[in-house]
Amino acid sequence: MDLLWKKTSDIAGSSYVNLFENVKMGTANLEANFRSEGNQKFQQQKWLEAMALYNRSLCFAVIGSDNVSMAFANRSACFFHLKEYEKCLIDIELAVQANYPSHLLPKLIERRENCLKSIQAGEGTKTFEPVLSYESSEVLPGCADVLQIQANDQLGRFVTANCYIPAGKTVLVEEAIHGTSR
């Protein structure tokens, strides 16, 4: 039960708050309620708000229920309207894998075809590719030449800048390492 409470601050004597006070425990079909609210936002063409509600629906959905596949399918429609075609295709596949109802499959197949046509036509959101704002370091791959690694007994190893770097400049570009958690 301790995991349901969190201190309001690290100050001695501070009070605890219930992390789930805004979650209505015991409400039947919470995932369906969130999906329904998402559908209302979708009707209003508020794609991002609808997507946030579909995400909440997924958080509460019982694995294997129709709500999982429906939330993925609904979210794919949001991605489609946002011209995020790659993400739309991923959610379409997730909906199919989650046993999307067969009588609704033609709608998903049509959306998939429209995504593929749009991608082939060069439409949609372009993937952001970060680029260094300075020359690349010969010693540190992916790092700008304005940075250097230093070490001392007090701090250990650390990175410093050898010049003023204005806000918004890219000084490090790395690829995420995808692996299995242990």
Side-chain angles (χ1 to χ4, degrees):
M1 205 59 155
D2 292 337
L3 298 176
L4 299 178
W5 297 88
K6 180 181 177 185
K7 281 190 113 176
T8 55
S9 74
D10 291 333
I11 299 171
S14 62
S15 61
Y16 284 84
V17 293
N18 182 346
L19 294 175
F20 295 100
E21 66 186 333
N22 294 324
V23 177
K24 298 175 185 171
M25 301 309 274
T27 302
N29 293 330
L30 198 54
E31 68 272 14
N33 293 340
F34 283 128
R35 195 167 52 80
S36 178
E37 289 178 40
N39 291 343
Q40 292 171 5
K41 295 295 181 183
F42 187 88
Q43 293 292 327
Q44 299 167 7
Q45 298 183 1
K46 295 180 178 180
W47 317 124
L48 294 174
E49 290 177 37
M51 194 177 313
L53 288 160
Y54 296 144
N55 287 340
R56 289 190 83 179
S57 173
L58 282 168
C59 289
F60 288 97
V62 175
I63 295 174
S65 71
D66 284 346
N67 283 316
V68 173
S69 65
M70 297 299 285
F72 281 129
N74 292 352
R75 204 171 67 173
S76 78
C78 292
F79 280 129
F80 184 81
H81 286 286
L82 292 168
K83 299 184 189 294
E84 295 276 354
Y85 300 121
E86 298 288 340
K87 292 176 183 174
C88 178
L89 290 172
I90 290 168
D91 271 4
I92 289 170
E93 183 59 32
L94 289 170
V96 170
Q97 289 177 8
N99 298 318
Y100 190 69
S102 58
H103 68 283
L104 297 175
L105 272 175
K107 186 191 299 188
L108 270 191
I109 291 168
E110 180 182 356
R111 188 175 303 142
R112 179 187 296 152
E113 290 170 359
N114 289 334
C115 279
L116 293 171
K117 286 178 189 174
S118 296
I119 290 170
Q120 285 179 336
E123 297 173 13
T125 306
K126 304 295 182 204
T127 304
F128 173 72
E129 292 290 333
V131 177
L132 289 174
S133 300
Y134 301 92
E135 293 293 319
S136 181
S137 169
E138 293 179 17
V139 180
L140 304 168
C143 194
D145 65 356
V146 296
L147 301 179
Q148 59 190 19
I149 295 179
Q150 295 184 356
N152 64 33
D153 292 337
Q154 182 183 7
L155 300 174
R157 289 193 309 183
F158 56 96
V159 177
T160 60
N162 57 25
C163 69
Y164 171 74
I165 302 172
K169 296 294 182 182
T170 303
V171 295
L172 178 67
V173 176
E174 292 183 308
E175 277 193 45
I177 297 175
H178 301 285
T180 57
S181 58
R182 295 180 195 183

